[in-house]
Amino acid sequence: MKIQIINGPNLNLLGKREPDTYGKQSFEEYFERLKSRFPDVELHYYQSNVEGELINKLHETGFSFDGIILNAGAYTHTSVAIHDGIAAIKTPVIEVHISNVYAREEFRHKSLITSKCIGLITGFGMDGYAMAIQHLVAKSQ
Ligand code: DQA
């Protein structure tokens, strides 16, 4: 099975960015662990700080992959275009946040994308990505 992970703005700085909130590990390091934890899954990773590029990746993978795990970063709270991009594709999308967005500033309590995703995982650190993969694998069996 093929799963695409898409990370949005500022998530290229994981490990360096606000480590008290997002942890000390880079996504590249974590991605290697994910690949060894799920050897039977074809995992792909993409990150961009640019809204349109995130939408292009949704379109590119959204008709052929078995699942998409999307951490849209701050665009989660603002982007009608990403909401529409998820609505436009066939592949199920799981929304993931490393931090617990509901325990943070009020502007993070609103997501424009949750309603188009099959579910939301927030607050479990990087492990949220593994939880999302686990769900997609279980669903496919
Ligand atoms: C985030 C939460 C967002 O509110 C924030 O803008 C991010 C990261 C998270 O993974 O916790 O960039 O998506």
Side-chain angles (χ1 to χ4, degrees):
M1 85 179 296
K2 274 164 79 168
I3 296 177
Q4 176 72 52
I5 297 173
I6 303 177
N7 276 344
N10 301 306
L11 294 167
N12 53 312
L13 295 182
L14 285 173
K16 296 187 188 122
R17 170 195 186 198
E18 300 177 79
D20 291 347
T21 304
Y22 299 113
K24 292 193 175 74
Q25 198 174 30
S26 73
F27 198 83
E28 287 71 16
E29 279 162 24
Y30 179 68
F31 189 58
E32 291 308 310
R33 284 180 48 195
L34 271 183
K35 284 194 288 191
S36 48
R37 187 160 160 195
F38 297 99
D40 299 332
V41 179
E42 194 183 315
L43 283 175
H44 295 249
Y45 169 55
Y46 179 76
Q47 189 279 331
S48 177
N49 295 319
V50 180
E51 188 176 17
E53 288 180 355
L54 300 173
I55 294 164
N56 286 342
K57 188 52 81 176
L58 288 171
H59 293 178
E60 194 185 305
T61 54
F63 295 90
S64 53
F65 278 58
D66 302 293
I68 296 173
I69 298 165
L70 174 63
N71 184 345
Y75 287 137
T76 304
H77 317 298
T78 62
S79 179
V80 175
I82 293 178
H83 165 107
D84 288 354
I86 299 167
I89 61 175
K90 292 252 182 295
T91 299
V93 178
I94 298 179
E95 176 181 353
V96 166
H97 299 286
I98 295 163
S99 64
N100 178 357
V101 289
Y102 295 102
R104 301 181 63 194
E105 302 95 325
E106 205 168 330
F107 64 83
R108 296 184 206 275
H109 298 182
K110 183 174 171 188
S111 167
L112 296 194
I113 67 174
T114 311
S115 64
K116 294 296 163 196
C117 292
I118 60 167
L120 161 69
I121 297 169
T122 185
F124 295 95
M126 295 281 221
D127 199 34
Y129 295 90
M131 293 162 86
I133 296 168
Q134 241 162 12
H135 170 77
L136 291 166
V137 169
K139 210 174 76 147
S140 76
Q141 283 164 354

